[in-house]
Amino acid sequence: MASEASASSSAAAAAQQPVAIVCVGMAGSGKTTFMQRINAHLHGQKDPPYVINLDPAVLNVPFESNIDIRDSVNYKEVMKQYGLGPNGGILTSLNLFATKVDQILALLERRAAPDPAKPDKKPINNILVDTPGQIEVFVWSASGQILLESLASSFPTVIAYVIDTPRTASTSTFMSNMLYACSILYKTKLPMILVFNKIDVKDAGFAKEWMTDYDAFQEALARDEAGNAFGGVEGEGAGSGYMGSLLNSMSSMLEEFYAHLSVVGVSSMTGQGVDEFFAAVQEKAEEFKADYLPELERKRKERDEQKRKLRQKELDKMMKGMSMGEPESASGSKPINNDDSDVSSNDDMADDDYADVDDEYDREGLQERYAAAMEANQDSTMNDASFAKYLHSQRQ
């Protein structure tokens, strides 16, 4: 009964976990304005989120951040000290900030759990993360991977890829965004929502149709080719045959990719489509628990098992060092064969998997054995030294 109660309580705690929404998007896609809109929407629902700003180069943000990278890292000072450009400064700032990921997770876990001292304080249900406009600096960097994996290891995490809808009206720019989204999906291995922003300027119906109807995209591609949208010889009424063939093959390749995405049209200015966005977030959070979480737990178990094996190796080496330092038995035989054990331990230390193990215990054992050996052989050592002096005097 106790085990069933603990299992039900852990399941309830897992169900109450907040969802981390990581907003990524190309520069100018309206990502920060979208963050402001969904933040204001949650505040209007009396469900304020926990907001994290990871853009060190932004001057002003239109929302209040609970954790701001600018409070920990001075972007301009990093550029000055390390002699970096804008992108290098952002990357280095993220690398420095990633060293505090444990503190960030501790704060998030504390806010996600009920506070016994303040029972009226409501735990958070959403974590909003704003990323730099230089999307590749975050998605393809080691620090970005550390931050994403750390979030995903503690909370259901969803990627919101924000797209500038008016700039995606042509088939070539649309396909470029789809390829970028595809690369982010397979790099992060997290559920993704395509957020077509600025639908108050241009409706996103054409994009949804292109993703679900192959023939519709082919017709749009033919129109672009006829309108010389891809360049080519004027007057011939056709564009680059290479570009048309490339887009055609890409569209057929991405059909499987489209099946794993949720598509939402949103206007950050008017708030249109925000409810649909949060409905998609809940859907992807359930998908994370069903499909992505088991894979993360499997990887975590593998890491724990590897750490356990390394600790066992360390313990075996320590016990071996202690037995090598024991005195000989009454029969004069030694408990183990020192020669073979020394060689095998050195071979173990040469393995890459064992490079991170601390050898403090083994070093102490070596020091003790060296001291014992020097003490036991002190007379012979002095005799050897006297004999060497005698030879030296005879040569002179």
Side-chain angles (χ1 to χ4, degrees), residues 34 82 126 184 233 247 340:
F34 173 71
Y82 293 94
N126 294 278
I184 294 173
V233 181
L247 295 178
D340 295 339

Side-chain angles (χ1 to χ4, degrees), residues 11-59:
Q16 296 175 356
Q17 278 187 316
V19 181
I21 305 171
V22 182
C23 296
V24 299
M26 296 184 181
S29 61
K31 176 172 52 61
T32 302
T33 310
F34 173 71
M35 277 279 300
Q36 180 190 20
R37 172 57 62 182
I38 60 177
N39 181 38
H41 176 82
L42 291 174
H43 276 279
Q45 299 290 327
K46 307 299 182 183
D47 188 17
Y50 202 87
V51 183
I52 302 176
N53 174 44
L54 296 180
D55 190 352
V58 66
L59 295 178

Side-chain angles (χ1 to χ4, degrees), residues 194-213:
L194 292 185
V195 181
F196 283 90
N197 196 15
K198 306 180 185 180
I199 61 172
D200 55 313
V201 179
K202 184 175 180 59
D203 187 72
F206 73 94
K208 297 178 182 179
E209 184 182 17
W210 288 352
M211 294 177 66
T212 55
D213 190 345

Side-chain angles (χ1 to χ4, degrees), residues 179-190:
L179 289 175
Y180 218 134
C182 181
S183 65
I184 294 173
L185 176 67
Y186 289 106
K187 178 66 171 64
T188 60
K189 296 181 176 63
L190 293 172

Side-chain angles (χ1 to χ4, degrees), residues 43-106:
H43 276 279
Q45 299 290 327
K46 307 299 182 183
D47 188 17
Y50 202 87
V51 183
I52 302 176
N53 174 44
L54 296 180
D55 190 352
V58 66
L59 295 178
N60 298 297
V61 288
F63 49 83
E64 184 177 353
S65 301
N66 299 96
I67 298 177
D68 198 326
I69 187 175
R70 298 175 299 171
D71 296 335
S72 303
V73 183
N74 189 325
Y75 166 69
K76 291 185 177 180
E77 192 65 25
V78 168
M79 290 177 60
K80 181 180 177 181
Q81 289 187 5
Y82 293 94
L84 302 171
N87 288 344
I90 294 175
L91 180 59
T92 305
S93 299
L94 282 171
N95 291 340
L96 294 172
F97 188 72
T99 61
K100 302 178 181 293
V101 66
D102 293 337
Q103 301 176 31
I104 297 171
L105 289 179

Side-chain angles (χ1 to χ4, degrees), residues 310-325:
L310 292 177
R311 286 195 297 268
Q312 186 61 39
K313 282 186 178 181
E314 183 179 0
L315 180 61
D316 293 342
K317 286 180 65 63
M318 182 183 69
M319 297 302 294
K320 188 180 296 184
M322 292 173 62
S323 61
M324 289 172 68

